[in-house]
Amino acid sequence: MSQPRRRRSPVVPAVAAVLGAVALAAVLWPRGEGVPPAPAPAAAPAVAPVTARPGPAAPAVASPPVPPSPPVRLEIPGIGIRAKVLSLGLNPDGTLEVPPLSKAEQTGWYNRGSAPGLPGPTVIAGHVDSARGPAVFYRLGALKRGDRARVVRADGKVATYEIDAIESVPKDAFPTDRVYGAVPHPALRLITCGGAFDRATGHYENNTIAYAHLLSLH
């Protein structure tokens, strides 16, 4: 799958040179060249549209006086996720690196965004499926408001988030500002593919996105 090239975004000045490039690149998870679609039964939960929209911005949470530390594990008990988190940078052409399909059970953190527990959006994305079947974010669309997600950092601290909303949006209308835009409080964004599967292109038509705010960091 081709991915959009770098463009400027005014939302976060500190990373304006890269946000435009990754806003869509981060969520168009390729199934791989020549990889056939997963069996139809395995795709059902992933393609169900999620209509909830993000509510008002979560109240600001005081950021603990701790240095940033990268995530190493994501845990979402409500949908059975306990997954390793890879660190993702940018390719030479400005698009986001993606986990190999051989590691479809792992997630990827955009390492030029916020570290877990610090102000701003921490963005973690993952595959919905692969040729072998369901992948790490296969059940992301089943999350509900109030569910908890825990991000374990390399320093041993755990950032616990509460899910605010889930939405399914067409890839050509991806809410760049809402996902990558600056927020004063620590936030979490979880992204995967969703919607109908287009067998002609080999890609899903939508992205499923979960929004969450920080409850604690300890």
Side-chain angles (χ1 to χ4, degrees), residues 4-195:
R5 300 283 179 165
R6 185 177 305 165
R7 62 179 178 81
R8 292 191 175 274
S9 168
V11 212
V12 187
V15 287
V18 296
L19 286 192
V22 302
L24 293 182
V27 294
L28 305 183
W29 293 89
R31 298 168 64 89
E33 294 296 329
V35 178
V47 300
V50 182
T51 56
R53 307 294 296 185
V61 175
S63 179
V66 295
S69 180
V72 294
R73 190 170 71 251
L74 173 67
E75 300 173 352
I76 311 178
I79 55 175
I81 289 178
R82 181 183 172 88
K84 181 177 180 180
V85 182
L86 303 173
S87 180
L88 302 178
L90 295 176
N91 294 309
D93 64 355
T95 58
L96 186 70
E97 294 176 334
V98 298
L101 284 168
S102 61
K103 297 182 178 180
E105 76 285 357
Q106 300 181 16
T107 62
W109 167 63
Y110 173 49
N111 61 23
R112 297 195 183 186
S114 296
L118 273 63
T122 296
V123 179
I124 297 178
H127 295 284
V128 66
D129 60 20
S130 72
R132 300 191 304 274
V136 61
F137 276 171
Y138 176 65
R139 298 191 62 215
L140 190 69
L143 278 174
K144 302 182 298 297
R145 184 188 297 270
D147 283 347
R148 303 292 172 87
R150 296 191 294 266
V151 182
V152 181
R153 304 176 4 146
D155 63 3
K157 293 184 181 297
V158 179
T160 300
Y161 296 86
E162 180 176 303
I163 302 300
D164 297 316
I166 310 291
E167 67 175 346
S168 182
V169 295
K171 288 183 176 179
D172 59 4
F174 185 79
T176 303
D177 291 354
R178 191 154 64 241
V179 172
Y180 289 93
V183 290
H185 58 276
L188 178 67
R189 313 297 191 224
L190 304 173
I191 309 170
T192 193
C193 289

